Amino acid sequence: MGRRLLVTLLATAVVAGCGGPADHDTAGGTPSGQPVAGTVTVLAAASLTESFTRIGAAFHRAHPGATVRFSFGGSSGLAQQITAGAPADVFASANPDTMTTVTDAGDAAGKPVTFARNQLVIAVPKGNPQGISTVDQLASPGRKVALCAAQVPCGAAAQRALRAAGVRVTPVSQEQDVKAALAKVKLGEVDAALVYRTDVRAAGDVDGIEFPASASAINDYPIVALRAAPNPSGGAAFVAYVRSEPARAALAAAGFQRP
Amino acid sequence: MSLDAHLVVRRGDFTLDVRLTADPGEVVALLGPNGAGKTTALRAIAGLRGLDDGHVVVGGETLDDGHRRFVAPERRHIGVVFQQYLLFPHLSAIDNVAFGPRCRGASTAQARAVARDWLQRVGLAEHGRKKPRQLSGGQAQRVALARALATGPRLLLLDEPLAALDARTRLETRAHLRGHLSGHPGATILVTHDPLDAMMLADRLIVVEDGRVVQAADAATLTSRPRTDYVARLVGLNLYRGRADGTAVRLPGGFTLRVGTPHRGEVFVAFPPSAVALFAEQPAGSPRNTWPATVTSVARHGDALRIELSGPVVVAADVTAAAAVQLRLEPGRAVWAAVKATETDAYPAGAAGPQLP
Amino acid sequence: MPAVAGLTFLVLPLLGLLVRAPWATLPRRLAEPAVLAALRLSLTTATLATVLCLVFGVPLAWLLARGSFPGRRLVRALVTVPMVLPPVVGGVALLLVFGRRGLVGGPLDAAFGVSLPFTTAGVVVAEAFVAMPFLVISVQGALRAADTRYEEAAATLGAGRWTVFRRVTLPMVAPGVAAGAVLCWARALGEFGATITFAGNFPGRTQTMPLAVYLALEQDVDAAIVLSLVLLTVSVAILAGLRDRWLGGAG
């Protein structure tokens, strides 16, 4: 009883978040190969907000009958919504682990594919006032550094990268997500933070410094169509479109690497 | 210490303008109906309200001149017993009494000793640890009095000190209060709407109506020679105002009353209801005022019945129950009223005397 | 009927927590030092924040209830703004003032090397900012309802303003102050948005229970439920205890 209530509530939340239920009637029985139409509901990691919004618009131009509706959020939260029965067509995650919770629950239609990769950089205030150029400078005493908490993907990646670099950093704060860590840099509350290159690119008013050890903490972004999709053909078409050349260009522009 | 006050307070349409003096040891009552401004006057003396004009001088020190000088209530050394006593509900009786001495710089122990002494004096020595809600009305009144006196005030103000008590407690507490007021070396101002309280407790009475003093007198003068309907009603007299020419006083309605002593000009004529005799027929006989009247109401008044009558003059008469039965007195009954000239009292109204309504 | 529906709506989610709780592993999870550290930090900071609110909030409530100055209505409205402001926005606002580059924080850092963000003191400040209006409103209401004639009586006995406030006003509005303090404490205990934004999240230093719950949700729903249960139990126990002792008459 408790579980069913939780599922219903989450599903309601997702539908409400997307602005209304998907248009099931026109999309429901379309066999594959038919023109793509209807609404495609995509749950995507928050770091994909800028690039996917652009890709969604391009997709609509390619398939004028179809509209993409996005719900961006933390990958693990989205995965929980999917396993709780949220009606969506596509899931794009910021890391393979959260994707695994969806595939393990049997909610994926097919195997996830990696469509982009992201890498950590050192985010510093615009102009790099403290002249930070290497990752070991983050360990110097008095330096205020924000990392993501180990529980969230960017935090796990930061741990891996720092271990590979052989640097021990004691952060002043373990932020709940990458945007929060970045915000602390923007406000000047910390001297540096380890965040994804795409986030630095999107923020604009911070500088990103590449560091070699980040290669050992590269983040794969997998995407998959969902089994309980209200619009399966639309979902499949969107997954295919994300791997097309125009979409890859949009992702690269946002700072992602090719898989 | 003495009080010399001219209190002018404006509040919307209402203006209080009262002159008031009291010598050391003297008890002065401010008597008047509700809304007359008595409490406002008291608050102005205590400093709980500033004057708009006039002055408050206690023992030669100006506490308020209505303009530049205003001494805050906590610096006035004026004791106040409030109408509902306002004992601090969270403090015991002894701590209520000790509050003042404590504020005046006494140590806790000293303040307690003073408080214990005062509770003893008001006869509540064994009630010191009780909270106000555990005290009876009379006890609360005495604690409030002890609290006000424990600071050794140079002036004591009492606002309807007995109004919150039931009739029996009132009698007892009044006697008790009288004892303490006579022991207080400073001046005391007592505000009340009850003439009995005022006459029993005060040396001098000041009657305030609608923000103004209408009569200032001792109890004997006030009861025998009232100057307003309000006072006359309070002391139970029939009161008229008219123009005297010898022993004939012509009232505004045209009716002429014969009085015992000759006067000239504006006078008041007063006589008690017991001086009015009622008859079924017009009585014969010499020095009487007689007129036809109609009974408007009959009510019990002590051992007698009080009869209100209309006619050329409105008058109240007291008759025995037997007479009432014999005359079949009931509203609407036409009778003859008579008052002997010698039983009336005529006294000059004075040029600036207040007008009757 | 609407009353029953209302009650159900409030209680059912709590029941959901109980039904979904991983009872089998509960003792082991509870004994984890991280849980205890977060709980201790939460209780300490909420209590300190309440003390801070009492020290500054009660005089403020007095001013708002009794003072007369131009723009009093506006100030009254301003005081309640943190109640309607999303706490995250409150956190950002605090950063802009008390942060390293902030209006006050900047000079403070430069002169004394004192910096609030990322410290336990920062948690207390964030909680106090969000919780203070609850105290102020409660105390202000009590003050406005209190009979000012007792204060006049105290003045005639020679008590100055401060003595009147301390010995008469405050004891008389004590139930209101207690109710306000409890509300304030409860709000501080549950504070999340302003805390994580202003004070950040570091176990043992700024990671309070709500922050621990939120981060646990990222990985392990069961752990989050356990943490929530602990918070729920502690707050219900304390609120019930205080209510009986202090608020019997007022509640």
Side-chain angles (χ1 to χ4, degrees), chain A residues 1-3 5-6 76 80 125 130 144 149-153 170-176 184 187-191, chain C residues 12 19-20 95-96 99-102 115 117-118 196-203 205 214-219 221:
Chain A
M1 149 79 194
R3 166 150 239 161
L5 184 74
L6 189 69
S76 45
Q80 271 170 30
Q130 303 221 358
K144 288 192 173 179
Q151 290 95 326
V152 297
T170 310
V172 291
S173 180
Q174 303 179 1
E175 295 296 322
Q176 79 272 30
K184 295 288 196 291
L187 288 163
E189 291 305 325
V190 295
D191 305 317
Chain C
L12 212 54
V19 171
R20 273 288 271 116
L95 276 178
L96 295 179
R100 219 159 41 138
R101 306 271 166 82
S115 180
F118 313 122
I196 202 162
T197 312
F198 181 60
N201 169 61
F202 193 87
R205 196 167 63 216
Y214 183 79
L215 280 163
L217 265 178
E218 290 285 330
Q219 247 182 1
V221 178

Side-chain angles (χ1 to χ4, degrees), chain B residues 151-329:
Chain B
T151 55
R154 38 189 190 177
L155 180 66
L156 181 64
L157 307 176
L158 304 158
D159 190 1
E160 303 275 8
L162 303 170
L165 304 176
D166 62 69
R168 263 204 30 209
T169 321
R170 205 172 166 136
L171 207 66
E172 193 182 306
T173 311
R174 190 191 287 133
H176 178 267
L177 182 59
R178 197 180 150 87
H180 280 285
L181 293 188
S182 60
H184 174 58
T188 301
I189 306 294
L190 166 76
V191 154
T192 181
H193 70 277
D194 183 334
L196 203 54
D197 286 348
M199 290 173 204
M200 297 278 290
L201 295 170
D203 305 312
R204 202 147 55 76
L205 292 87
I206 295 178
V207 183
V208 180
E209 278 180 60
D210 199 24
R212 271 156 224 286
V213 175
V214 292
Q215 189 164 7
D218 57 30
T221 311
L222 194 78
T223 46
S224 60
R225 298 189 156 184
R227 299 182 81 87
T228 72
D229 257 1
Y230 164 73
V231 180
R233 249 194 326 277
L234 278 183
V235 301
L237 289 178
N238 291 304
L239 179 69
Y240 309 95
R241 185 181 174 139
R243 177 163 286 277
D245 184 8
T247 59
V249 178
R250 191 179 162 78
L251 303 186
F255 190 78
T256 301
L257 271 175
R258 288 274 164 199
V259 296
T261 46
H263 285 277
R264 213 154 279 285
E266 290 285 308
V267 293
F268 284 116
V269 179
F271 52 89
S274 58
V276 182
L278 298 181
F279 302 91
E281 307 288 331
Q282 180 166 19
S286 47
R288 283 175 186 258
N289 299 292
T290 59
W291 66 91
T294 307
V295 176
T296 53
S297 78
V298 179
R300 176 159 284 287
H301 185 78
D303 290 339
L305 289 175
R306 168 138 319 164
I307 316 296
E308 303 282 345
L309 301 135
S310 64
V313 282
V314 173
V315 72
D318 282 354
V319 300
T320 62
V325 169
Q326 195 195 345
L327 289 166
R328 287 184 287 118
L329 293 180

Side-chain angles (χ1 to χ4, degrees), chain C residues 95-124:
Chain C
L95 276 178
L96 295 179
V97 174
F98 294 110
R100 219 159 41 138
R101 306 271 166 82
L103 293 173
V104 177
L108 212 62
D109 191 25
F112 307 104
V114 177
S115 180
L116 278 178
F118 313 122
T119 62
T120 305
V123 177
V124 174

Side-chain angles (χ1 to χ4, degrees), chain A residues 83 91 96-112 224 226:
Chain A
T83 54
F91 176 46
D97 288 351
T98 41
M99 182 56 86
T100 310
T101 60
V102 172
T103 51
D104 284 357
D107 288 324
K111 262 178 77 72
V224 80
L226 296 173

Side-chain angles (χ1 to χ4, degrees), chain B residues 56-81:
Chain B
V56 173
V57 179
V58 173
E61 187 196 350
T62 301
L63 300 178
D64 191 346
D65 66 1
H67 302 285
R68 289 179 307 279
R69 186 164 171 78
F70 179 81
V71 177
E74 63 265 27
R75 298 177 192 283
R76 291 198 175 192
H77 293 263
I78 292 176
V80 185
V81 175

